[in-house]
Amino acid sequence: MTHDDITADAVSGPGGTPPGPSAVRPATVDADAESTGRDAAPSPADAALPPELAPAALTLFGDRLDLAAAYAELLATDGVVRGLIGPREAPRIWDRHLLNCAAVAERIPSGATVLDVGSGAGLPGLVLAIARPDLTVTLIEPLARRTSFLIEVVERLGLAKSVRVFRGRADEAASGSSGREPISGDVVTARAVAPLDRLAGWSLPLAVRGGRLLALKGSSAAAEIEEHAEVVARLGGGEPAVQLCGVGVIDPPTTVVEIVRERMVGPPRPAAKKRARGGRSRRG
């Protein structure tokens, strides 16, 4: 097993999830940390699912809710210690991260191949793999400390038949490098990676023709589309569209910019040298 590519068993169905924390334990608050303004040491209690979010979590994760809870605990503990999640984010893992990402599953066809660019701590790629056992997910991440965390999480959650970790940049994944074959997928996801023009440049080459980029964005979505639509078109993408995911399930719903790869656009070719009269190339 390497940091570049792993595969192992997926988990699905009732009773198929590994032992983990209860999905709906009551949340607790570190009173001392709250009163002094200090960040408390990472604690599994930080990953507790707030009771008011339990209906949405059950809708989005179904019988894999305990698996999602186990991932939340890993984020709130190891993820914080290793600098992948900020300490103040730990108590907000469910609403700001897990549910926000899981809602995007409604835009992904059954049995799709998903490539998650700049996966970081596994958001949204690992969340989608947990919520949708029918998906095949590749987590693309260039930093060693992050890929190490991802590999450990995939192994501990028993997800590696459906999830692999690719250590490298998106362009390396699309073109192939170090003896690895190029990869592509039906859907490319990204969350908080880059502005839309750069993100499209990295992500669209990973999508098959007719595949799509799903970029999780916030309030900047419409402005980014207006600013970068021409660049997206030059890269072979169709007209970007804003989709709201999880309407009626989570509040606020997740804002996603969806771009279909309509044309296969290769890298620009070098300009041909101009020839002088007589057929000889001009020398600069």
Side-chain angles (χ1 to χ4, degrees):
M1 183 179 298
T2 71
H3 282 75
D4 295 325
D5 192 351
I6 62 172
T7 51
D9 288 340
V11 185
S12 62
T17 57
S22 171
V24 288
R25 343 174 251 185
T28 60
V29 177
D30 187 320
D32 181 62
E34 187 178 61
S35 63
T36 61
R38 293 185 291 105
D39 293 327
S43 167
D46 290 336
L49 173 61
E52 66 273 16
L53 298 179
L58 184 59
T59 297
L60 294 172
F61 290 106
D63 61 7
R64 290 164 72 87
L65 182 54
D66 278 348
L67 192 62
Y71 176 48
E73 184 170 312
L74 289 171
L75 286 175
T77 53
D78 290 357
V80 171
V81 170
R82 295 159 78 163
L84 301 179
I85 291 289
R88 295 183 185 278
E89 288 299 300
R92 300 181 287 187
I93 280 174
W94 284 97
D95 58 338
R96 290 173 61 93
H97 300 292
L98 270 64
L99 300 183
N100 180 266
C101 291
V104 179
E106 69 184 52
R107 302 298 307 173
I108 302 177
S110 177
T113 300
V114 178
L115 308 182
D116 188 34
V117 171
S119 196
L123 305 167
L126 265 176
V127 176
L128 294 171
I130 292 170
R132 291 277 303 277
D134 60 298
L135 303 178
T136 300
V137 179
T138 298
L139 309 175
I140 300 173
E141 171 57 51
L143 297 184
R145 67 183 178 88
R146 294 177 180 173
T147 54
S148 294
F149 175 80
L150 293 173
I151 288 171
E152 292 170 22
V153 171
V154 168
E155 290 176 338
R156 291 175 67 174
L157 298 183
L159 290 172
K161 243 183 195 176
S162 60
V163 181
R164 69 167 176 163
V165 178
F166 180 99
R167 183 182 170 192
R169 301 189 309 270
D171 61 319
E172 294 172 329
S175 62
S177 65
S178 303
R180 296 175 294 190
E181 292 293 323
I183 60 176
S184 60
D186 305 307
V187 176
V188 182
T189 58
R191 182 177 190 251
V193 173
L196 194 59
D197 55 344
R198 281 189 285 153
L199 182 60
W202 299 335
S203 301
L204 286 178
L206 289 164
V208 300
R209 185 169 184 173
R212 64 197 61 200
L213 166 63
L214 299 177
L216 282 70
K217 294 286 185 179
S219 58
S220 66
E224 287 196 47
I225 288 175
E226 183 177 357
E227 182 177 358
H228 302 304
E230 291 185 8
V231 174
V232 170
R234 289 200 300 270
L235 293 167
E239 183 176 354
V242 174
Q243 307 288 354
L244 297 180
C245 300
V247 175
V249 179
I250 58 174
D251 185 23
T254 305
T255 302
V256 173
V257 175
E258 182 171 343
I259 302 171
V260 175
R261 188 179 191 187
E262 296 182 344
R263 295 175 292 110
M264 307 297 282
V265 177
R269 297 180 180 178
K273 293 181 179 180
K274 295 183 179 180
R275 292 186 175 273
R277 292 180 181 178
R280 295 183 179 179
S281 297
R282 292 180 180 174
R283 295 184 178 179

